[in-house]
Amino acid sequence: WPSVRRIMPPPMKWADFRRIMKYYGVSIEPGGKHWKLEKMVDGIRQVYTVSVHGSEIDFVYVHGARSRFKLNSKNGITDKDFFSH
């Protein structure tokens, strides 16, 4: 079987990610290397924890947060719209 290699985007700047999350109404609670994100989605309190390394956040957490808080294309927010804030 040929191996399939998935290429992940590079990490995102933590400051940019925080700014975007705040724009979409996600609250952020500091906690050292693990920060808690919180937002009401469809009447249900959603919580997502991200791991921050220095000034960057891995793309896997960006993708996970977008999914958890319905900030993705499945829910009408394109990549272009999301990353432009």
Side-chain angles (χ1 to χ4, degrees):
W1 294 91
S3 67
V4 177
R5 185 173 171 215
R6 185 172 182 178
I7 299 173
M8 296 298 285
M12 184 176 188
K13 295 289 182 193
W14 173 238
D16 294 338
F17 179 74
R18 264 194 350 234
R19 184 186 69 249
I20 292 168
M21 289 288 105
K22 287 182 180 182
Y23 175 84
Y24 285 106
V26 177
S27 65
I28 300 171
E29 185 178 315
K33 290 184 179 184
H34 296 94
W35 291 50
K36 185 169 76 172
L37 311 178
E38 224 176 293
K39 180 180 178 171
M40 293 294 286
V41 178
D42 299 331
I44 300 170
R45 180 178 156 258
Q46 295 290 332
V47 177
Y48 188 73
T49 302
V50 298
S51 181
V52 180
H53 302 283
S55 64
E56 296 181 331
I57 180 170
D58 287 333
F59 183 79
V60 68
Y61 294 111
V62 175
H63 177 75
R66 288 185 69 189
S67 294
R68 174 68 51 94
F69 301 122
K70 295 189 175 183
L71 302 174
N72 53 21
S73 58
K74 288 182 183 178
N75 296 286
I77 300 174
T78 65
D79 290 348
K80 182 179 178 183
D81 290 340
F82 181 81
F83 290 108
S84 69
H85 293 290

XYZ file of all heavy atoms in Angstrom:
707
model
N 0.828 -1.186 0.000
C 0.000 0.000 0.000
C 0.871 1.247 0.000
O 1.805 1.347 0.787
C -0.879 0.028 1.241
C -1.886 -1.074 1.266
C -1.734 -2.300 1.817
C -3.182 -1.059 0.700
N -2.865 -3.042 1.636
C -3.774 -2.287 0.953
C -3.900 -0.103 -0.008
C -5.046 -2.603 0.533
C -5.171 -0.427 -0.424
C -5.725 -1.655 -0.148
N 0.546 2.172 -0.858
C 1.324 3.429 -0.828
C 0.993 4.219 0.432
O -0.136 4.194 0.905
C 0.863 4.168 -2.085
C -0.458 3.586 -2.418
C -0.458 2.172 -1.892
N 1.987 4.858 0.964
C 1.722 5.661 2.163
C 1.122 7.002 1.753
O 1.481 7.579 0.731
C 3.014 5.884 2.953
O 3.897 6.679 2.226
N 0.203 7.436 2.529
C -0.443 8.724 2.282
C 0.046 9.671 3.352
O -0.065 9.403 4.538
C -1.979 8.594 2.343
C -2.624 9.955 2.152
C -2.461 7.615 1.285
N 0.574 10.792 2.926
C 1.103 11.773 3.866
C 0.201 12.990 3.849
O -0.004 13.597 2.806
C 2.513 12.159 3.459
C 3.164 13.059 4.446
C 4.605 13.265 4.080
N 5.124 14.297 4.941
C 6.012 15.177 4.563
N 6.494 15.151 3.347
N 6.441 16.084 5.400
N -0.336 13.302 4.977
C -1.196 14.470 5.081
C -0.350 15.645 5.553
O 0.327 15.558 6.576
C -2.321 14.200 6.069
C -3.300 15.317 6.127
C -4.477 14.942 6.949
N -5.389 16.075 6.918
C -6.543 16.081 7.506
N -6.957 15.035 8.163
N -7.314 17.141 7.455
N -0.426 16.706 4.827
C 0.354 17.889 5.178
C -0.529 18.844 5.965
O -1.573 19.262 5.482
C 0.913 18.578 3.915
C 1.825 17.609 3.174
C 1.631 19.858 4.284
C 2.291 18.101 1.838
N -0.103 19.162 7.177
C -0.848 20.072 8.029
C -0.305 21.485 7.849
O 0.898 21.668 7.657
C -0.709 19.675 9.494
C -1.298 18.327 9.823
S -3.057 18.221 9.547
C -3.675 19.131 10.942
N -1.191 22.465 7.922
C -0.724 23.855 7.850
C 0.206 24.155 9.025
O 0.162 23.472 10.050
C -2.011 24.667 7.970
C -3.099 23.716 7.601
C -2.616 22.355 8.019
N 1.024 25.177 8.890
C 1.939 25.538 9.984
C 1.152 26.065 11.185
O -0.018 26.418 11.060
C 2.801 26.635 9.366
C 1.968 27.208 8.275
C 1.135 26.086 7.753
N 1.808 26.112 12.352
C 1.128 26.655 13.533
C 0.670 28.090 13.280
O 1.221 28.802 12.447
C 2.206 26.628 14.611
C 3.220 25.658 14.142
C 3.174 25.707 12.647
N -0.330 28.501 14.034
C -0.876 29.850 13.934
C -0.359 30.672 15.109
O -0.117 30.134 16.194
C -2.401 29.752 13.988
C -3.120 31.043 13.806
S -4.917 30.733 13.777
C -5.458 32.362 13.320
N -0.216 31.952 14.896
C 0.185 32.830 15.996
C -0.931 32.857 17.031
O -2.105 33.035 16.701
C 0.453 34.259 15.496
C 1.630 34.365 14.553
C 2.918 34.173 15.298
C 4.096 34.323 14.346
N 5.321 33.860 14.935
N -0.570 32.662 18.281
C -1.535 32.619 19.370
C -2.325 33.916 19.456
O -3.545 33.914 19.656
C -0.819 32.299 20.670
C -1.661 32.383 21.905
C -1.435 33.170 22.984
C -2.840 31.635 22.210
N -2.402 32.976 23.941
C -3.280 32.038 23.489
C -3.591 30.682 21.529
C -4.421 31.514 24.098
C -4.733 30.157 22.145
C -5.127 30.581 23.402
N -1.674 35.051 19.281
C -2.361 36.348 19.357
C -3.429 36.459 18.272
O -4.528 36.980 18.515
C -1.353 37.488 19.231
N -3.136 35.974 17.064
C -4.118 36.009 15.978
C -5.305 35.103 16.294
O -6.461 35.470 16.086
C -3.487 35.582 14.648
C -2.430 36.552 14.165
O -2.442 37.735 14.591
O -1.577 36.131 13.354
N -5.021 33.911 16.799
C -6.081 32.974 17.144
C -6.983 33.556 18.226
O -8.207 33.485 18.135
C -5.460 31.652 17.616
C -6.476 30.627 18.027
C -7.235 29.957 17.076
C -6.670 30.327 19.371
C -8.175 28.994 17.455
C -7.596 29.373 19.760
C -8.350 28.707 18.800
N -6.393 34.143 19.250
C -7.174 34.768 20.342
C -8.067 35.866 19.807
O -9.238 35.961 20.178
C -6.233 35.350 21.400
C -6.017 34.429 22.538
C -5.365 35.084 23.754
N -4.849 36.414 23.563
C -3.605 36.787 23.837
N -2.744 35.922 24.290
N -3.229 38.018 23.651
N -7.521 36.714 18.952
C -8.296 37.813 18.372
C -9.503 37.280 17.596
O -10.619 37.771 17.747
C -7.405 38.656 17.455
C -8.096 39.880 16.883
C -7.248 40.629 15.870
N -7.106 39.826 14.650
C -5.985 39.254 14.233
N -4.868 39.395 14.914
N -5.950 38.547 13.125
N -9.295 36.250 16.804
C -10.379 35.663 16.012
C -11.431 35.034 16.921
O -12.638 35.229 16.726
C -9.818 34.630 15.014
C -8.976 35.334 13.939
C -10.955 33.828 14.378
C -8.153 34.391 13.073
N -10.999 34.294 17.923
C -11.944 33.661 18.839
C -12.798 34.711 19.553
O -14.015 34.551 19.688
C -11.212 32.794 19.874
C -10.598 31.520 19.312
S -11.832 30.272 18.876
C -11.837 30.406 17.113
N -12.167 35.776 19.998
C -12.916 36.842 20.673
C -13.915 37.486 19.713
O -15.038 37.808 20.109
C -11.959 37.879 21.258
C -11.233 37.365 22.485
C -10.334 38.416 23.090
C -9.630 37.855 24.315
N -8.787 38.844 24.971
N -13.532 37.671 18.468
C -14.433 38.232 17.461
C -15.705 37.389 17.360
O -16.810 37.926 17.230
C -13.741 38.311 16.098
C -14.662 38.759 14.998
C -14.898 40.112 14.781
C -15.320 37.834 14.198
C -15.763 40.533 13.785
C -16.190 38.237 13.192
C -16.411 39.591 12.996
O -17.281 39.994 12.009
N -15.570 36.074 17.440
C -16.709 35.171 17.326
C -17.378 34.871 18.670
O -18.203 33.962 18.764
C -16.292 33.871 16.629
C -16.114 34.062 15.139
C -14.854 34.099 14.566
C -17.212 34.221 14.304
C -14.687 34.279 13.193
C -17.067 34.408 12.938
C -15.812 34.432 12.395
O -15.656 34.622 11.044
N -17.016 35.614 19.709
C -17.700 35.482 20.989
C -17.244 34.338 21.873
O -17.944 33.947 22.801
N -16.064 33.824 21.609
C -15.518 32.734 22.425
C -14.723 33.353 23.570
O -13.845 34.185 23.349
C -14.606 31.814 21.576
C -13.986 30.733 22.439
C -15.394 31.209 20.413
N -15.048 32.967 24.804
C -14.277 33.477 25.941
C -13.056 32.591 26.143
O -13.083 31.393 25.874
C -15.132 33.526 27.209
O -15.498 32.242 27.611
N -11.992 33.211 26.631
C -10.720 32.512 26.801
C -10.253 32.665 28.236
O -10.129 33.771 28.741
C -9.667 33.074 25.819
C -10.155 32.896 24.386
C -8.325 32.405 26.032
C -9.303 33.596 23.349
N -10.000 31.527 28.882
C -9.533 31.527 30.261
C -8.098 31.016 30.300
O -7.830 29.863 29.947
C -10.431 30.616 31.089
C -10.109 30.624 32.563
C -11.069 29.732 33.341
O -12.285 29.803 33.090
O -10.579 28.952 34.186
N -7.162 31.881 30.713
C -5.763 31.466 30.751
C -5.531 30.342 31.757
O -6.240 30.223 32.740
C -5.007 32.723 31.167
C -6.014 33.735 31.539
C -7.366 33.232 31.192
N -4.521 29.534 31.444
C -4.203 28.438 32.350
C -2.825 27.867 32.094
O -2.678 26.666 31.941
N -1.824 28.702 31.977
C -0.473 28.209 31.716
C -0.353 27.713 30.292
O -0.599 28.439 29.349
N -0.001 26.436 30.134
C 0.143 25.868 28.793
C -1.190 25.393 28.216
O -1.299 25.137 27.026
C 1.126 24.701 28.815
C 2.548 25.130 29.040
C 3.477 23.949 28.958
C 4.914 24.415 29.155
N 5.850 23.314 28.985
N -2.201 25.231 29.071
C -3.516 24.773 28.622
C -4.553 25.850 28.915
O -4.777 26.183 30.077
C -3.890 23.459 29.308
C -2.968 22.352 28.950
N -1.876 22.035 29.721
C -2.941 21.515 27.898
C -1.224 21.035 29.158
N -1.852 20.701 28.045
N -5.148 26.381 27.864
C -6.137 27.441 27.988
C -7.510 26.891 27.663
O -7.659 26.069 26.759
C -5.792 28.582 27.048
C -4.551 29.343 27.435
C -3.324 28.824 27.740
C -4.417 30.743 27.537
N -2.438 29.828 28.026
C -3.091 31.026 27.902
C -5.292 31.805 27.360
C -2.623 32.312 28.099
C -4.817 33.089 27.533
C -3.495 33.340 27.915
N -8.516 27.364 28.395
C -9.882 26.894 28.192
C -10.664 27.915 27.364
O -10.696 29.100 27.692
C -10.567 26.666 29.533
C -11.952 26.067 29.410
C -12.495 25.602 30.746
C -12.943 26.771 31.576
N -13.651 26.389 32.792
N -11.286 27.440 26.295
C -12.148 28.263 25.457
C -13.586 27.855 25.742
O -13.870 26.674 25.938
C -11.836 28.039 23.977
C -10.374 28.099 23.555
C -10.246 27.813 22.073
C -9.776 29.440 23.890
N -14.487 28.840 25.736
C -15.871 28.567 26.096
C -16.829 29.420 25.277
O -16.566 30.597 25.032
C -16.058 28.941 27.569
C -16.828 27.969 28.373
C -16.859 28.384 29.828
O -15.797 28.361 30.494
O -17.945 28.744 30.285
N -17.961 28.813 24.872
C -18.989 29.555 24.142
C -20.289 28.769 24.177
O -20.288 27.544 24.141
C -18.565 29.773 22.693
C -19.579 30.546 21.882
C -19.146 30.750 20.446
C -20.270 31.495 19.739
N -19.916 31.941 18.428
N -21.399 29.479 24.216
C -22.713 28.856 24.087
C -22.964 28.616 22.603
O -22.865 29.537 21.798
C -23.811 29.747 24.658
C -23.739 29.926 26.158
S -24.045 28.405 27.085
C -25.795 28.242 26.878
N -23.273 27.364 22.251
C -23.556 26.993 20.864
C -24.884 26.237 20.860
O -25.004 25.197 21.507
C -22.431 26.112 20.275
C -22.761 25.695 18.854
C -21.089 26.833 20.319
N -25.852 26.787 20.166
C -27.188 26.167 20.106
C -27.755 25.903 21.498
O -28.352 24.863 21.760
C -27.152 24.858 19.300
C -26.723 25.071 17.855
O -26.969 26.175 17.314
O -26.146 24.150 17.267
N -27.517 26.860 22.407
C -28.052 26.750 23.758
C -27.290 25.817 24.682
O -27.711 25.573 25.813
N -26.169 25.305 24.228
C -25.358 24.386 25.041
C -23.970 24.985 25.241
O -23.334 25.418 24.291
C -25.235 23.004 24.359
C -26.625 22.390 24.171
C -24.328 22.077 25.158
C -26.644 21.162 23.299
N -23.516 25.003 26.492
C -22.181 25.532 26.806
C -21.142 24.547 26.280
O -21.084 23.402 26.705
C -22.038 25.709 28.308
C -20.700 26.247 28.743
C -20.706 26.438 30.262
N -19.372 26.406 30.763
C -18.801 25.373 31.374
N -19.477 24.276 31.583
N -17.558 25.436 31.786
N -20.325 25.024 25.356
C -19.258 24.203 24.776
C -17.917 24.658 25.349
O -17.666 25.860 25.463
C -19.234 24.336 23.259
C -20.469 23.807 22.581
C -20.575 22.292 22.657
O -19.590 21.579 22.740
N -21.791 21.800 22.641
N -17.073 23.711 25.690
C -15.744 24.003 26.236
C -14.718 23.242 25.405
O -14.937 22.094 25.025
C -15.641 23.572 27.715
C -14.236 23.806 28.251
C -16.665 24.299 28.555
N -13.611 23.908 25.128
C -12.529 23.273 24.376
C -11.212 23.740 24.978
O -11.017 24.934 25.203
C -12.615 23.664 22.893
C -11.670 22.914 22.001
C -11.886 21.579 21.694
C -10.556 23.534 21.461
C -11.025 20.878 20.870
C -9.686 22.847 20.633
C -9.928 21.520 20.338
O -9.074 20.827 19.524
N -10.327 22.824 25.267
C -9.031 23.162 25.848
C -7.954 23.078 24.776
O -7.909 22.112 24.018
C -8.694 22.199 27.007
O -9.741 22.282 27.982
C -7.375 22.571 27.661
N -7.116 24.107 24.724
C -6.029 24.129 23.746
C -4.701 24.175 24.472
O -4.599 24.676 25.586
C -6.142 25.326 22.772
C -7.421 25.246 21.965
C -6.065 26.654 23.498
N -3.694 23.646 23.826
C -2.342 23.663 24.358
C -1.547 24.717 23.592
O -1.501 24.679 22.367
C -1.712 22.282 24.180
O -0.418 22.269 24.707
N -0.969 25.633 24.327
C -0.224 26.727 23.714
C 1.265 26.531 23.970
O 1.683 26.247 25.086
C -0.682 28.083 24.293
C 0.077 29.219 23.667
C -2.177 28.262 24.098
N 2.054 26.666 22.912
C 3.501 26.523 23.017
C 4.136 27.844 22.602
O 4.200 28.158 21.422
C 4.004 25.394 22.113
C 3.372 24.082 22.428
N 3.763 23.325 23.511
C 2.359 23.408 21.845
C 3.019 22.239 23.562
N 2.164 22.254 22.566
N 4.559 28.620 23.588
C 5.158 29.912 23.291
C 4.135 30.845 22.668
O 3.076 31.081 23.215
N 4.452 31.347 21.489
C 3.562 32.311 20.830
C 2.743 31.669 19.718
O 2.125 32.366 18.924
C 4.393 33.470 20.266
O 5.260 32.979 19.253
N 2.718 30.324 19.662
C 2.006 29.648 18.578
C 1.052 28.577 19.110
O 1.215 28.070 20.209
C 2.998 28.992 17.621
C 3.886 29.996 16.919
C 4.843 29.340 15.947
O 5.224 28.176 16.157
O 5.207 30.005 14.964
N 0.078 28.256 18.271
C -0.877 27.200 18.570
C -0.916 26.267 17.365
O -0.994 26.735 16.221
C -2.268 27.778 18.904
C -3.261 26.657 19.209
C -2.784 28.700 17.830
C -4.580 27.142 19.775
N -0.825 24.976 17.602
C -0.834 24.003 16.511
C -2.163 24.018 15.774
O -3.221 24.207 16.380
C -0.570 22.587 17.031
C 0.870 22.376 17.445
O 1.752 23.075 16.900
O 1.114 21.520 18.306
N -2.109 23.760 14.488
C -3.295 23.800 13.645
C -4.369 22.815 14.110
O -5.565 23.080 13.970
C -2.935 23.514 12.191
C -4.125 23.616 11.287
C -4.594 24.850 10.879
C -4.793 22.481 10.871
C -5.712 24.950 10.067
C -5.908 22.566 10.052
C -6.367 23.810 9.650
N -3.969 21.702 14.697
C -4.957 20.721 15.149
C -5.921 21.349 16.158
O -7.119 21.045 16.162
C -4.272 19.452 15.719
C -3.537 19.743 17.006
C -5.269 18.339 15.900
N -5.442 22.275 16.997
C -6.300 22.954 17.959
C -7.169 24.010 17.284
O -8.309 24.226 17.687
C -5.468 23.591 19.076
C -4.773 22.571 19.931
C -3.391 22.437 19.889
C -5.487 21.722 20.769
C -2.743 21.482 20.657
C -4.853 20.772 21.543
C -3.475 20.657 21.484
O -2.845 19.713 22.248
N -6.637 24.663 16.272
C -7.423 25.643 15.509
C -8.599 24.924 14.855
O -9.754 25.350 14.962
C -6.559 26.360 14.444
C -7.415 27.289 13.591
C -5.411 27.118 15.100
N -8.312 23.809 14.207
C -9.353 23.018 13.543
C -10.373 22.504 14.566
O -11.588 22.582 14.344
C -8.704 21.846 12.802
C -9.690 20.933 12.153
N -10.357 21.268 10.997
C -10.146 19.711 12.515
C -11.178 20.278 10.672
N -11.059 19.332 11.572
N -9.895 22.001 15.686
C -10.785 21.475 16.719
C -11.699 22.533 17.309
O -12.893 22.297 17.521
N -11.148 23.716 17.567
C -11.948 24.809 18.126
C -13.005 25.264 17.120
O -14.157 25.511 17.483
C -11.050 25.977 18.521
N -12.617 25.356 15.852
C -13.583 25.754 14.828
C -14.731 24.761 14.747
O -15.892 25.152 14.621
C -12.899 25.882 13.468
C -11.993 27.100 13.379
C -11.421 27.261 12.004
N -12.487 27.642 11.064
C -12.343 27.687 9.761
N -11.185 27.366 9.216
N -13.340 28.053 8.988
N -14.423 23.496 14.842
C -15.466 22.470 14.802
C -16.354 22.543 16.040
O -17.582 22.513 15.937
C -14.853 21.079 14.700
O -14.194 20.918 13.474
N -15.744 22.625 17.212
C -16.500 22.631 18.473
C -17.465 23.812 18.543
O -18.594 23.681 18.998
C -15.520 22.687 19.647
C -16.137 22.845 21.028
C -16.928 21.624 21.497
N -16.185 20.401 21.389
C -15.471 19.855 22.370
N -15.413 20.427 23.549
N -14.833 18.727 22.165
N -17.003 24.985 18.084
C -17.817 26.187 18.191
C -18.586 26.520 16.915
O -19.144 27.599 16.786
C -16.941 27.373 18.626
C -16.262 27.140 19.939
C -14.881 27.195 20.040
C -16.979 26.833 21.086
C -14.231 26.976 21.248
C -16.349 26.608 22.301
C -14.972 26.678 22.382
N -18.612 25.571 15.974
C -19.325 25.717 14.704
C -18.885 26.968 13.940
O -19.694 27.753 13.466
C -20.834 25.710 14.931
C -21.331 24.374 15.473
C -22.836 24.308 15.489
C -23.290 22.917 15.911
N -24.739 22.804 15.875
N -17.573 27.130 13.849
C -16.981 28.267 13.134
C -16.284 27.782 11.870
O -15.236 28.292 11.489
C -15.981 28.989 14.050
C -16.549 29.514 15.373
C -15.441 30.078 16.241
C -17.628 30.549 15.114
N -16.864 26.763 11.219
C -16.244 26.184 10.033
C -17.177 26.263 8.830
O -18.313 26.742 8.944
C -15.825 24.739 10.303
C -16.960 23.898 10.845
O -18.125 24.226 10.687
N -16.622 22.809 11.497
N -16.706 25.809 7.693
C -17.487 25.926 6.457
C -18.777 25.109 6.514
O -19.763 25.480 5.876
C -16.642 25.521 5.248
O -16.169 24.204 5.399
N -18.811 24.027 7.274
C -20.042 23.251 7.427
C -21.154 24.098 8.037
O -22.327 23.817 7.882
C -19.823 22.037 8.326
C -19.013 20.938 7.717
C -18.913 19.789 8.706
C -18.032 18.693 8.159
N -17.878 17.595 9.129
N -20.748 25.120 8.769
C -21.694 25.992 9.455
C -21.706 27.408 8.879
O -22.109 28.357 9.541
C -21.376 26.013 10.956
C -21.571 24.642 11.567
O -22.694 24.203 11.751
N -20.475 23.944 11.816
N -21.224 27.555 7.643
C -21.332 28.820 6.933
C -20.195 29.804 7.110
O -20.277 30.933 6.637
N -19.120 29.407 7.802
C -17.980 30.322 7.974
C -16.799 29.745 7.211
O -16.178 28.777 7.637
C -17.637 30.526 9.465
C -18.849 31.131 10.184
C -16.415 31.423 9.615
C -18.691 31.258 11.670
N -16.503 30.353 6.074
C -15.413 29.867 5.230
C -14.068 30.130 5.887
O -13.952 30.950 6.809
C -15.431 30.562 3.867
O -15.150 31.953 4.056
C -16.764 30.383 3.149
N -13.039 29.455 5.397
C -11.678 29.710 5.885
C -11.320 31.169 5.690
O -10.749 31.808 6.578
C -10.663 28.830 5.141
C -10.775 27.364 5.499
O -11.475 27.025 6.480
O -10.163 26.548 4.794
N -11.660 31.705 4.532
C -11.341 33.109 4.229
C -11.996 34.039 5.251
O -11.347 34.945 5.765
C -11.794 33.460 2.821
C -11.460 34.856 2.401
C -11.910 35.134 0.982
C -11.608 36.577 0.605
N -12.082 36.901 -0.736
N -13.281 33.819 5.522
C -13.983 34.656 6.517
C -13.365 34.498 7.895
O -13.132 35.478 8.599
C -15.468 34.283 6.581
C -16.239 34.697 5.347
O -15.763 35.575 4.606
O -17.325 34.129 5.124
N -13.111 33.264 8.298
C -12.578 33.012 9.631
C -11.234 33.692 9.839
O -11.044 34.411 10.814
C -12.448 31.506 9.875
C -11.925 31.168 11.242
C -12.760 31.153 12.340
C -10.579 30.857 11.438
C -12.278 30.848 13.608
C -10.093 30.554 12.682
C -10.945 30.554 13.780
N -10.311 33.468 8.922
C -8.954 33.983 9.104
C -8.806 35.465 8.791
O -7.765 36.058 9.064
C -7.969 33.157 8.277
C -7.791 31.763 8.816
C -8.325 30.666 8.136
C -7.126 31.532 10.001
C -8.193 29.389 8.631
C -6.984 30.254 10.520
C -7.516 29.169 9.832
N -9.855 36.093 8.273
C -9.760 37.525 7.952
C -10.059 38.422 9.151
O -9.927 39.635 9.069
C -10.691 37.879 6.790
O -12.047 37.771 7.198
N -10.462 37.845 10.277
C -10.806 38.661 11.451
C -9.686 38.764 12.425
O -8.867 38.062 12.665
C -12.047 38.111 12.138
C -13.270 38.251 11.296
N -13.841 39.454 11.039
C -13.982 37.335 10.602
C -14.886 39.281 10.249
N -14.997 37.998 9.956
